[in-house]
Amino acid sequence: MSDSWKLSLPCTRAEAEAIEVDMGEIAMLKPPPVLMTSEEVSDDPERWRLDAYFDSKPDSATVAAIKALVPSARRRAVRAERVAEQDWLTLSQAGLKPLTVGRFHVHTAADPGTPPPGARLFRIEAGLAFGTGQHETTSGCLAMLDRLKRTGARVENLIDLGTGTGLLAFAAMHLWPRAYATATDIDPVAIDVTAENAGVNGVRLGQRPGSLALAVAPGIVHEAILRRAPYDLVIANILAAPLIELAEDFASIAASGGQLILAGLLKTQAAAVARAYRRQGYRLAARIDQGDWAILRMVKRR
């Protein structure tokens, strides 16, 4: 059995959460490493750790790219160490505990947990794309989708922009199983991961209602996205700056009265993001705060 390689760096909680939202140029490596963040000291936001796992020994440029993810450790010397394959498989799942949010139960193969009766189970492994459910933005979106369904909302055409692992698209399809569904990401690796996760979780791929169409696309600039517009549910779990920059574009593909779920923004950024969408004819309908993060549900005025 072949060995793998590991890099470890101390980091802060803020740096760890930023890594989980945006892997930067690391996501473009072939193959990308598995990045795991964890607390070294419970409830201490300054004492976290980043572990990066590789299939082969990383070169100096890759080590530098990993260090660039953690500004607080830029002066620290770091050296890759060899780890046995079985240890890597175990460690790559570390910290990914089963999570139940509303009617959804998210787990890994290593730890299925005990799902509540009637829950929709999703198996999402740690890997190359963001969105395992454990990050507060993703779990907050699951909670927001669950609440939206409870309001009686009808959805016939939905899109998940920046889908990551596909989890939020899968959850929305479970709630509205007859809807047309589209999932996109700027990163082709994320789309590959989503397709693989769809197979694991029994989600059909395709163009028909109840199936998921996939596309690699930056923003909305893709024929497959524009052809299906307007959407009555848009999910965008990305970052505050692109959410603000893309407000006009997102509004242009949304149906009148359509729902918009925005995430990937800190609570301190929520007002600026909401303001950008109010200028496009939206009103704030609901908000969920998860730790330092905010999840907004906005409705396009008729």
Side-chain angles (χ1 to χ4, degrees), residues 240 243-244 265-279 296:
L243 284 175
I244 292 172
L265 52 136
L266 295 166
K267 290 189 289 188
T268 55
Q269 300 168 323
V273 173
R275 186 162 56 247
Y277 284 84
R278 286 194 182 99
R279 294 193 187 108
L296 308 180

Side-chain angles (χ1 to χ4, degrees), residues 15-301:
E15 288 171 335
E17 290 176 337
I19 292 167
E20 291 185 12
V21 173
D22 184 7
M23 289 172 62
E25 64 182 85
I26 296 299
M28 305 308 293
L29 295 177
K30 302 294 183 183
V34 173
L35 301 184
M36 302 297 299
T37 57
S38 57
E39 288 181 294
E40 285 201 311
V41 177
S42 181
D43 298 324
D44 187 341
E46 301 302 315
R47 300 287 298 278
W48 281 59
R49 187 180 76 250
L50 166 65
D51 295 315
Y53 297 91
F54 301 84
D55 289 339
S56 58
K57 187 175 182 179
D59 58 23
S60 58
T62 301
V63 172
I66 292 290
K67 291 185 69 174
L69 295 173
V70 186
S72 64
R74 63 184 179 274
R75 298 181 184 278
R76 182 178 290 264
V78 61
R79 185 178 62 184
E81 61 182 17
R82 191 190 300 267
V83 293
E85 180 71 13
Q86 60 267 31
D87 292 337
W88 178 84
L89 289 171
T90 300
L91 290 169
S92 70
Q93 300 300 328
L96 294 186
K97 301 301 181 184
L99 178 75
T100 299
V101 180
R103 68 195 76 197
F104 306 117
H105 181 78
V106 186
H107 66 94
T108 64
D111 190 354
T114 306
R120 174 56 164 100
L121 277 60
F122 291 112
R123 179 180 138 193
I124 305 291
E125 305 295 341
L128 310 180
F130 170 70
T132 60
Q134 277 69 21
H135 191 274
E136 289 153 330
T137 61
T138 310
S139 61
C141 286
L142 290 173
M144 189 67 83
L145 285 168
D146 187 69
R147 293 186 188 184
L148 177 59
K149 178 65 174 180
R150 294 181 191 281
T151 68
R154 295 181 60 185
V155 173
E156 298 178 354
N157 189 17
L158 66 93
I159 186 167
D160 180 14
L161 297 162
T163 193
T165 62
L167 174 59
L168 298 180
F170 303 162
M173 292 174 69
H174 173 69
L175 298 176
W176 296 281
R178 299 176 185 172
Y180 286 92
T182 306
T184 75
D185 204 286
I186 193 172
D187 182 3
V189 173
I191 294 302
D192 290 342
V193 169
T194 296
E196 182 178 344
N197 285 337
V200 169
N201 290 283
V203 176
R204 292 193 306 272
L205 299 180
Q207 302 294 326
R208 297 181 177 182
S211 299
L212 181 63
L214 300 177
V216 178
I220 65 167
V221 185
H222 195 287
E223 188 270 339
I225 299 173
L226 300 175
R227 184 181 67 244
R228 281 196 167 182
Y231 298 90
D232 44 24
L233 174 60
V234 176
I235 306 164
N237 180 16
I238 46 179
L239 292 169
L243 284 175
I244 292 172
E245 180 181 347
L246 293 167
E248 185 176 355
D249 285 352
F250 286 1
S252 72
I253 62 169
S256 177
Q259 306 281 341
L260 173 64
I261 295 177
L262 302 174
L265 52 136
L266 295 166
K267 290 189 289 188
T268 55
Q269 300 168 323
V273 173
R275 186 162 56 247
Y277 284 84
R278 286 194 182 99
R279 294 193 187 108
Q280 302 302 324
Y282 283 90
R283 64 175 177 84
L284 181 63
R287 172 174 169 168
I288 295 175
D289 287 346
Q290 296 270 77
D292 294 329
W293 303 85
I295 296 87
L296 308 180
R297 179 169 68 84
M298 308 197 74
V299 178
K300 192 174 183 182
R301 297 182 186 277

